[in-house]
Amino acid sequence: MNGNDDDRTAGLWEGVDALCHWLDAHQPVRGREGLLLRVLKLSEEVGEAAQAVIGATGQNPRKGVTHTWQDVEAELCDVALTALVALRTLTPEAPEVFARHLSGVTARSTPPEPAPDGRA
């Protein structure tokens, strides 16, 4: 990661924190139920992403093409942001938790680098 990547990561989590604070200030349901509703919001966002894919591919013959692939991109961003906000709501250590999880998933999902002698 270079300096720009660090800046983007910091900006991402600053944005997530700002969204959490704004949601907390306008949250009609608090406590455990509020947390559960924030996690359930993911289902809504995933549904909107699915709807955008169906619309971008014209899979509903009655409606035809109703979305663009840019709409799908935006919906996927909403899914990612909603997940990060839910994680941040669950723990103030969200950046560290996410970084550890990403590192673990990456480690088990990528092949090991070959050794200098050609062995894995």
Side-chain angles (χ1 to χ4, degrees), residues 22-43:
W22 179 78
L23 287 167
D24 289 345
H26 298 88
Q27 185 175 358
V29 178
R30 301 194 180 279
R32 183 179 172 120
E33 287 179 348
L35 170 63
L36 295 175
L37 289 168
R38 204 164 281 181
V39 172
L40 287 174
K41 177 75 172 156
L42 273 167
S43 294

Side-chain angles (χ1 to χ4, degrees), residues 37-95:
L37 289 168
R38 204 164 281 181
V39 172
L40 287 174
K41 177 75 172 156
L42 273 167
S43 294
E44 178 188 4
E45 296 299 339
V46 168
E48 290 175 8
Q51 180 180 20
V53 169
I54 290 167
T57 58
Q59 287 302 299
N60 184 337
R62 186 173 51 82
K63 294 182 179 179
V65 175
T66 59
H67 291 73
T68 66
W69 287 105
Q70 288 76 27
D71 294 327
V72 175
E73 290 171 1
E75 294 300 342
L76 289 173
C77 288
D78 287 348
V79 170
L81 278 171
T82 302
L84 293 176
V85 166
L87 178 62
R88 176 58 185 83
T89 301
L90 190 60
T91 176
E93 286 12 359

